[in-house]
C-alpha cells in the first residue's frame, strides 16, 4: 500500500491528516471533555501537539505500524476527529483508538468510523485481532465497541496514570478492554 488509504462510509470519509486540519485539531482536542475521556491526550492542547500527531501519523504509515485517519464529513470534508490502528506486527494485532469533537457526539458517527476501521484492519491489513480500551468513566466509548460487536475481554483497575500539573494532581484510571478476532469478524 503506497498511497494512504481512504475509507468511505455513508456519512464519513476517513483519510490522511493534513496540515490544513491543524486549526480544527487544536480547537477540538483542546476541549477538556475530550482530554477527560482519552488516555493520553495532552492538556492544554497546542498547535505543536497537532503537528506532532500529524508527523506520528505520517511516519507510522511509512513504517506500516500505525494507521491514523482524520474523520471527516463526506459532504464538507471538514475534520471532526481522529481514529487509528497501532499495529503490533509481531503478534498480527492492533490497538484501535479514536476521538470525536464534542459537537458531533451522540450521532452514531464514531460507531460508523469504528466499523470502517475494523473492516480495514481485517480485510486490508489481514490482522488477526483488533482490541480497544476505554476509561471506565467513558461509557459512551464502550457502547461504540458493543455496537460494533466487539467482545469484552478484560478490566484493568487503576491501570493508567493521567498526569496532572504536579505529581499530586496525578490520578489513576481504570480501563475496560474489548476485542474482535478474525474468526469473530468472519462470523458476523
Amino acid at each position: 500500500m503506497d498511497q494512504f488509504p481512504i475509507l468511505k462510509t455513508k456519512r464519513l470519509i476517513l483519510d490522511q491528516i493534513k496540515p490544513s486540519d491543524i486549526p480544527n485539531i487544536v480547537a477540538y482536542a483542546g476541549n477538556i471533555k475530550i482530554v477527560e475521556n482519552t488516555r493520553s491526550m495532552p492538556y492544554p492542547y497546542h498547535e505543536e501537539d497537532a503537528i506532532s500527531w500529524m508527523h506520528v501519523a505520517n511516519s507510522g504509515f511509512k513504517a506500516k505500524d500505525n494507521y491514523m485517519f482524520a474523520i471527516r464529513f463526506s459532504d464538507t470534508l471538514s475534520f471532526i476527529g481522529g481514529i487509528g490502528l497501532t499495529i503490533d506486527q509481531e503478534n498480527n494485532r492492533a490497538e484501535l483508538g479514536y476521538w470525536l469533537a464534542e459537537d458531533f457526539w451522540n450521532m452514531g458517527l464514531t460507531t460508523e468510523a469504528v466499523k470502517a476501521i475494523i473492516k480495514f484492519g481485517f480485510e486490508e491489513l489481514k490482522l488477526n485481532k483488533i482490541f480497544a480500551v476505554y476509561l471506565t468513566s467513558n461509557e459512551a466509548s464502550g457502547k461504540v465497541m458493543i455496537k460494533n460487536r466487539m467482545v469484552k475481554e478484560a478490566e484493568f483497575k487503576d491501570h493508567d496514570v493521567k498526569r496532572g500539573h504536579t505529581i499530586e494532581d496525578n490520578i489513576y484510571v481504570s480501563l475496560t478492554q474489548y476485542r474482535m478476532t478474525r474468526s469473530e469478524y468472519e462470523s458476523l
Side-chain angles (χ1 to χ4, degrees):
M1 181 179 329
D2 295 328
Q3 297 283 80
F4 194 90
I6 298 173
L7 311 180
K8 296 179 181 180
T9 71
K10 182 178 178 184
R11 298 177 289 172
L12 302 172
I13 289 180
L14 311 180
D15 67 2
Q16 194 166 23
I17 301 161
K18 300 174 177 72
S20 59
D21 296 324
I22 290 172
N24 282 339
I25 294 169
V26 172
Y28 294 145
N31 180 341
I32 189 67
K33 290 181 183 177
I34 300 294
V35 175
E36 289 172 344
N37 286 308
T38 58
R39 290 173 69 194
S40 60
M41 194 84 74
Y43 187 81
Y45 197 94
H46 300 288
E47 183 175 324
E48 51 269 16
D49 297 312
I51 292 167
S52 175
W53 184 52
M54 187 176 62
H55 286 307
V56 168
N58 290 334
S59 63
F61 173 68
K62 287 178 187 165
K64 306 298 184 224
D65 63 4
N66 207 326
Y67 293 83
M68 289 190 213
F69 294 81
I71 302 173
R72 306 177 191 285
F73 282 116
S74 57
D75 55 352
T76 64
L77 301 181
S78 57
F79 177 94
I80 60 170
I83 188 166
L85 294 169
T86 302
I87 311 297
D88 173 349
Q89 294 171 340
E90 184 177 332
N91 293 295
N92 196 27
R93 67 178 176 229
E95 181 173 2
L96 165 66
Y98 49 84
W99 66 275
L100 190 71
E102 183 183 11
D103 293 348
F104 310 106
W105 290 357
N106 300 312
M107 299 168 65
L109 297 168
T110 306
T111 299
E112 193 172 316
V114 166
K115 183 177 182 180
I117 287 290
I118 288 173
K119 180 179 180 183
F120 171 74
F122 288 119
E123 295 183 12
E124 299 299 321
L125 301 180
K126 307 298 184 197
L127 295 170
N128 183 61
K129 180 179 181 178
I130 296 172
F131 68 96
V133 297
Y134 69 92
L135 301 176
T136 55
S137 58
N138 183 6
E139 292 180 18
S141 191
K143 289 178 182 176
V144 167
M145 295 174 198
I146 292 166
K147 288 177 185 174
N148 275 286
R149 306 191 58 192
M150 295 179 83
V151 177
K152 186 176 180 180
E153 188 166 57
E155 293 183 11
F156 303 100
K157 179 77 173 151
D158 294 343
H159 191 72
D160 281 358
V161 65
K162 296 264 297 184
R163 306 266 178 231
H165 293 290
T166 68
I167 197 156
E168 292 83 21
D169 294 335
N170 291 348
I171 59 167
Y172 289 92
V173 293
S174 298
L175 307 172
T176 302
Q177 180 170 303
Y178 276 74
R179 66 135 205 283
M180 183 176 288
T181 63
R182 170 172 291 288
S183 62
E184 289 166 341
Y185 176 76
E186 290 171 348
S187 70
L188 293 179

